[in-house]
Amino acid sequence: MMLCGFVRSSNASRLFLGEGLEWIGKRQRRTHTVARLEAAYKRIKDKCKSKKLPKDVNVKAVFACNELDLKEVKVYGFDYDYTLACYKPSMDYLLYNLARQTLIEQYKYPKEIGKLEYKPGFAVRGLHYDIEKGILLKLDSFLQIQFGSVYRGLTPLSTEEVLHLYKNRIIPIAYVEGQSKSGQLILQGSHSKMVQLADLFSVPEMGLLCNVADYFERNHIDYHPEILFRDVKSSVKSSHPVMHKIVSQNVSDYIEDNKDLRYFFDRLKSADKKLFLVTNSPYKFVNKGMELLVGTNWKDYFDVVIVQARKPRFFTDESRPIRVYDERSGTHIWDRVTKLEKGTIYYEGTVKQLQELTGWRGHQVLYFGDHPYSDLADVTLEHGWRTGAIINELSHEIETLNKDQFKQDANWLQMLTQLIEDNQDCEDELEQFVLAQWMAERDKLRNDIKCVFNEQFGSVFRTYHNPTYFSRRLFRFADIYTSNITNLLNYSVNHTFYPRRGVMPHEYISYFV
């Protein structure tokens, strides 16, 4: 009995000792694994610090989305606003103030909104406004919401609030794209609940929209988001004729000087290129601006000038007669137009007539504009023109990219993300704790990188890791893009722009070892 008891006791001791050794072994392995993770982090961090920072991006470069051989281009076409004429910040304040006054006087909004001042730098172009929910938000190329960039008025919404509103981080395509091919919202029979604000004139519009919505929210005033949106949009639109008069009287206060523009036109003409202008702006407004930028003889450079074209209808309408504008009387002549003459100002019309009367077609035409939809979409999709986008914000974006701190943060973000991906499948609690710390660091890095472009909405061109919805359309409809039309002076008229070979996800390892 005692022997049996001794045996049982001995077995129990061995069992206890075995469990203890196993526990010690696990602890040692866990400690070793955590130490391995910490060592891997230090190794990658040291490697990141030792890497030479990338070269600066040329602010005046032209970037290619599609191969473009300028030798094939015989005809250069231009929009006016934010393409040939780039406006100072004073333009945003002017449009905002005029539209705010219209809301009060014409739409009888509370007089207190007259105290709501324009907030420069609040919004960026390319955002979407949900006309049903009254939300301003940023979408990526996959129609995913960028959390942290969703606002009701001036108040950011938390991730939980956004998911409560939309039930998902991805917006259904019908909710976003109930649009025509030119990007214009179709109201009748459309399922779209969102409208994209895709040009620079829409930036003060977004500012006014959010300011008024914030006023209503703070004062607990009930309002209909769609009515507010349409009232603000109508106010901005009706303010444009007043803006045209004010700017025409004080052109230098609103338009950025560009001494290289005349030289750019001279070079194109000396290379025997044809030039034309198609703009939605009225003649007197365009004339004052072009006289400042180029001189009183600016019309001598253009073979065709068409004002008040009503784009995108100019590119989509089948039949809308082109008319002659009489500069002396300021009226439109009813005579039939059978040919387009240099020095004559034309009004309305369609791209079909322009092509028929000039013979300018297809890839021999390169048209520049600032709006990816109303300027570029239809001419490239329907008519085969080559297209160039003038994106003024590109200067700010590239200057930000060129800062050493941004380069360091962006580089470390890439390497930290790879470190997380390579070690994420461990299941130990201590290891998971280390990974959670890495993830928190990554989240902070992503937010810091976002805010250096714009504190509320980040970069015009990307969300945390994807291109924005705006970028998706820009890259689809523009063969090339740049920050200013005269950046083309850095290239010959026979230059070929080559897009860089994009690295697809399955190619990454084979490109970067």
Side-chain angles (χ1 to χ4, degrees):
M1 294 290 294
M2 289 181 61
L3 182 60
C4 290
F6 175 78
V7 170
R8 285 198 298 270
S9 176
S10 178
N11 287 339
S13 297
R14 292 192 187 99
L15 183 61
F16 176 78
L17 181 60
E19 288 177 347
L21 290 172
E22 183 181 357
W23 180 82
I24 291 171
K26 285 183 178 179
R27 182 177 180 182
Q28 288 175 337
R29 286 195 299 272
R30 289 170 66 184
T31 303
H32 173 72
T33 303
V34 170
R36 178 184 60 80
L37 292 179
E38 291 173 346
Y41 178 92
K42 185 178 184 305
R43 184 172 62 255
I44 297 299
K45 186 76 170 179
D46 290 344
K47 182 178 179 181
C48 181
K49 289 179 179 178
S50 69
K51 290 181 68 175
K52 187 177 180 180
L53 293 179
K55 294 180 180 179
D56 284 354
V57 179
N58 183 0
V59 177
K60 294 186 176 182
V62 176
F63 304 93
C65 304
N66 191 21
E67 187 170 323
L68 174 62
D69 184 354
L70 293 184
K71 290 193 295 293
E72 297 179 348
V73 177
K74 308 302 181 187
V75 184
Y76 283 73
F78 305 93
D79 179 33
Y80 174 71
D81 297 299
Y82 286 110
T83 300
L84 297 180
C86 296
Y87 296 102
K88 297 178 179 179
S90 53
M91 174 62 86
D92 291 341
Y93 285 90
L94 176 61
L95 273 176
Y96 176 93
N97 292 335
L98 289 172
R100 182 186 59 187
Q101 198 61 27
T102 302
L103 278 181
I104 296 171
E105 295 178 356
Q106 185 173 330
Y107 293 93
K108 308 305 178 185
Y109 275 59
K111 291 183 179 179
E112 287 74 17
I113 72 169
K115 300 175 184 177
L116 303 177
E117 297 296 331
Y118 177 61
K119 293 179 170 55
F122 173 73
V124 298
R125 81 154 130 180
L127 303 176
H128 281 79
Y129 181 74
D130 189 324
I131 60 178
E132 186 176 64
K133 296 180 173 65
I135 302 294
L136 188 66
L137 70 163
K138 184 178 178 183
L139 298 179
D140 72 7
S141 56
F142 294 95
L143 302 182
Q144 293 179 117
I145 300 169
Q146 181 177 23
F147 293 130
S149 296
V150 183
Y151 280 73
R152 177 181 282 115
L154 301 176
T155 303
L157 300 187
S158 67
T159 299
E160 292 73 25
E161 289 173 310
V162 174
L163 291 175
H164 177 74
L165 278 172
Y166 291 101
K167 315 303 179 189
N168 201 331
R169 70 187 306 162
I170 301 176
I171 305 295
I173 192 168
Y175 199 91
V176 178
E177 294 188 355
Q179 299 170 326
S180 70
K181 58 193 174 187
S182 64
Q184 298 302 301
L185 183 65
I186 301 173
L187 297 178
Q188 300 299 324
S190 171
H191 296 293
S192 174
K193 302 297 182 182
M194 291 188 178
V195 60
Q196 189 180 23
L197 302 156
D199 67 0
L200 283 175
F201 281 132
S202 67
V203 172
E205 178 182 332
M206 286 184 272
L208 181 59
L209 185 64
C210 290
N211 265 350
V212 176
D214 183 70
Y215 172 83
F216 286 156
E217 293 284 342
R218 284 188 291 105
N219 291 278
H220 308 290
I221 299 173
D222 188 36
Y223 69 100
H224 194 299
E226 185 171 347
I227 291 175
L228 172 61
F229 172 75
R230 303 207 178 284
D231 287 350
V232 169
K233 194 163 193 66
S234 296
S235 296
V236 172
K237 184 178 180 179
S238 63
S239 298
H240 272 255
V242 182
M243 177 270 286
H244 290 150
K245 292 180 181 178
I246 293 173
V247 172
S248 296
Q249 294 167 0
N250 308 275
V251 183
S252 61
D253 291 342
Y254 295 96
I255 296 180
E256 298 278 4
D257 192 17
N258 190 348
K259 296 186 182 347
D260 290 330
L261 192 57
R262 173 186 278 273
Y263 178 47
F264 175 61
F265 289 154
D266 281 332
R267 195 172 75 163
L268 292 180
K269 296 305 286 186
S270 65
D272 201 28
K273 306 296 183 183
K274 301 293 185 181
L275 274 64
F276 70 91
L277 177 69
V278 176
T279 175
N280 285 349
S281 292
Y283 171 70
K284 290 182 179 179
F285 175 72
V286 174
N287 184 50
K288 286 290 186 180
M290 291 301 289
E291 285 182 345
L292 171 75
L293 291 167
V294 181
T296 54
N297 67 332
W298 68 269
K299 292 188 289 294
D300 294 345
Y301 287 102
F302 291 91
D303 297 274
V304 176
V305 175
I306 301 175
V307 298
Q308 291 179 272
R310 299 187 184 178
K311 294 178 292 182
R313 288 179 58 190
F314 179 83
F315 297 126
T316 58
D317 283 3
E318 290 294 322
S319 177
R320 191 178 51 149
I322 192 168
R323 301 174 65 179
V324 174
Y325 176 82
D326 189 329
E327 293 184 56
R328 294 180 180 177
S329 64
T331 59
H332 307 107
I333 300 173
W334 55 85
D335 291 0
R336 183 188 298 272
V337 175
T338 57
K339 62 179 179 178
L340 299 178
E341 298 179 340
K342 188 171 183 175
T344 301
I345 306 301
Y346 297 96
Y347 166 85
E348 291 192 344
T350 66
V351 69
K352 180 181 177 182
Q353 291 171 286
L354 175 64
Q355 292 185 125
E356 288 175 349
L357 293 172
T358 60
W360 301 337
R361 296 180 183 278
H363 63 270
Q364 66 176 283
V365 182
L366 173 58
Y367 184 72
F368 290 92
D370 71 297
H371 198 301
Y373 310 147
S374 63
D375 285 327
L376 309 180
D378 288 293
V379 293
T380 188
L381 293 175
E382 301 294 327
H383 304 288
W385 288 10
R386 309 311 300 270
T387 52
I390 304 302
I391 309 297
N392 296 165
E393 308 97 296
L394 195 56
S395 294
H396 165 67
E397 297 259 343
I398 293 176
E399 287 166 359
T400 303
L401 293 175
N402 287 342
K403 293 179 179 177
D404 285 352
Q405 187 61 55
F406 178 87
K407 292 178 183 179
Q408 291 165 3
D409 288 347
N411 202 24
W412 174 231
L413 176 62
Q414 288 287 88
M415 299 179 78
L416 179 60
T417 301
Q418 186 66 56
L419 182 67
I420 292 170
E421 184 175 3
D422 291 343
N423 293 277
Q424 65 180 327
D425 295 324
C426 55
E427 298 179 357
D428 184 87
E429 289 182 9
L430 287 178
E431 295 169 344
Q432 287 295 323
F433 179 75
V434 174
L435 283 166
Q437 290 180 313
W438 293 356
M439 289 293 294
E441 182 179 359
R442 178 176 179 267
D443 288 343
K444 183 180 184 303
L445 265 176
R446 294 203 305 169
N447 194 61
D448 290 346
I449 287 173
K450 165 199 164 186
C451 290
V452 294
F453 291 100
N454 174 276
E455 189 172 349
Q456 291 72 230
F457 297 99
S459 169
V460 173
F461 296 93
R462 67 161 58 246
T463 56
Y464 289 127
H465 49 268
N466 290 330
T468 57
Y469 187 92
F470 175 82
S471 291
R472 170 188 174 185
R473 293 301 184 92
L474 172 68
F475 301 155
R476 172 65 184 90
F477 300 137
D479 292 301
I480 57 174
Y481 65 97
T482 189
S483 61
N484 192 291
I485 190 69
T486 53
N487 291 343
L488 284 161
L489 285 169
N490 297 317
Y491 308 86
S492 76
V493 292
N494 296 317
H495 188 86
T496 298
F497 293 100
Y498 295 100
R500 294 296 173 261
R501 181 181 174 91
V503 181
M504 291 180 278
H506 68 274
E507 297 175 326
Y508 185 84
I509 296 299
S510 65
Y511 275 66
F512 302 97
V513 179

